[in-house]
Amino acid sequence: MQLDADRVLVRMVQNIKATMEEAAMPGHSNGWALEKEKANVCLYTRDQDRTNTPAVKVVALFDVPAEFVYMQLINPELSFDSSSSRKPSETVEYYAPDCIDPQLEFGASDSTVNLIQVVHSFLPLPLVSDRDFVCAEFYGCIDGRYTYTASSVEHPLCPTTRKYVRGNISLGGWVIDPIDPTSCQVHQPSP
């Protein structure tokens, strides 16, 4: 089981690094094209290899503190899904917050790891097969940047089944950067 845990943590660290790197880049760099801008929200897209679906990156400015936005994002009582028929997500495994060293992995001088877990979630879809996802999730603050990331992993407690088509999240998450004590910039890259 330790080998599986090591693979999950390596994948999660790679995703945290990639998400934070994407968030640090200006929207128009690295192949991103501005598609739409409205009310302090910018939507960028870029082509992806081996798919017709473009990658999407959203950058938004909010007149609220970064920690407030982060606390709303990680609040398990809040849900963005209004479907009562959706099977609830299941936490498969928790990892100790000290199982990664932010100083070593990210060169962070100041960090807080709130939660590391593997979650199995389900998505019913009309007209096509339902999907399931097995993702390593990270919640924390690295050098003042509030971060949530999720990326697909393989886990022995979540084998594929005939009931669902296994979905893949190669990179996903949110990085919330304080601008000042009362405002922040939120990045949501999903390349």
Side-chain angles (χ1 to χ4, degrees):
M1 195 72 155
Q2 182 60 40
L3 183 59
D4 294 316
D6 291 345
R7 286 184 187 148
V8 166
L9 293 173
V10 165
R11 176 75 177 110
M12 185 199 58
V13 166
Q14 291 170 340
N15 190 40
I16 294 167
K17 288 178 180 178
T19 301
M20 293 184 76
E21 287 171 8
E22 281 291 343
M25 292 182 195
H28 59 278
S29 66
N30 205 19
W32 292 104
L34 179 64
E35 294 294 325
K36 190 170 188 177
E37 182 175 1
K38 184 175 182 181
N40 291 329
V41 178
C42 296
L43 172 67
Y44 299 91
T45 61
R46 74 174 175 201
D47 292 336
Q48 298 187 90
D49 291 338
R50 300 182 300 269
T51 180
N52 292 331
T53 306
V56 176
K57 178 178 180 176
V58 177
V59 179
L61 297 173
F62 291 98
D63 290 328
V64 295
E67 186 174 15
F68 174 81
V69 174
Y70 176 70
M71 296 309 289
Q72 302 311 301
L73 179 67
I74 69 171
N75 183 343
E77 300 297 317
L78 297 178
S79 174
F80 302 104
D81 181 16
S82 60
S83 170
S84 61
S85 65
R86 182 174 179 178
K87 183 176 177 182
S89 296
E90 303 167 351
T91 300
V92 176
E93 187 171 4
Y94 287 103
Y95 295 88
D98 63 353
C99 69
I100 63 168
D101 180 355
Q103 171 71 32
L104 177 68
E105 298 292 351
F106 313 113
S109 59
D110 182 32
S111 63
T112 302
V113 176
N114 298 110
L115 179 65
I116 300 170
Q117 64 183 357
V118 173
V119 174
H120 191 191
S121 56
F122 308 88
L123 182 61
L125 296 171
L127 307 177
V128 296
S129 299
D130 292 344
R131 304 291 193 258
D132 75 334
F133 298 86
V134 179
C135 293
E137 296 183 341
F138 169 87
Y139 300 82
C141 185
I142 301 171
D143 285 338
R145 303 179 81 195
Y146 295 92
T147 306
Y148 161 77
T149 64
S151 58
S152 292
V153 294
E154 292 183 16
H155 197 283
L157 298 177
C158 302
T160 57
T161 68
R162 297 183 70 153
K163 186 172 180 181
Y164 296 98
V165 173
R166 181 63 45 94
N168 181 51
I169 297 175
S170 58
L171 174 68
W174 302 78
V175 177
I176 304 154
D177 290 320
I179 294 173
D180 59 41
T182 63
S183 63
C184 64
Q185 186 171 39
V186 177
H187 310 265
Q188 191 270 321
S190 60

